[in-house]
Amino acid sequence: MSHTLTGLIGDLALGFAAAFGGFTSFLLVAACGTIGHLLGSWADGGPGPAGLRRRGGRR
């Protein structure tokens, strides 16, 4: 599954949460989506959550 399709599915979930559940549901879905994205990135061999804190410098 491409990153574009994954993003589309996530945005649709956020849209449904905002439309039918209100702002609190929107925030809950957004937080869970962010955590899932970070864990998925880490599982795929990406830098994971700790790598996001580093800025600039080394590439």
Side-chain angles (χ1 to χ4, degrees), residues 21-56:
F23 188 68
T24 304
S25 296
F26 173 78
L27 290 178
L28 180 64
V29 171
C32 289
T34 302
I35 291 169
H37 173 67
L38 291 174
L39 291 176
S41 174
W42 176 74
D44 284 340
L52 295 175
R53 284 187 256 140
R54 285 183 282 169
R55 296 190 182 260

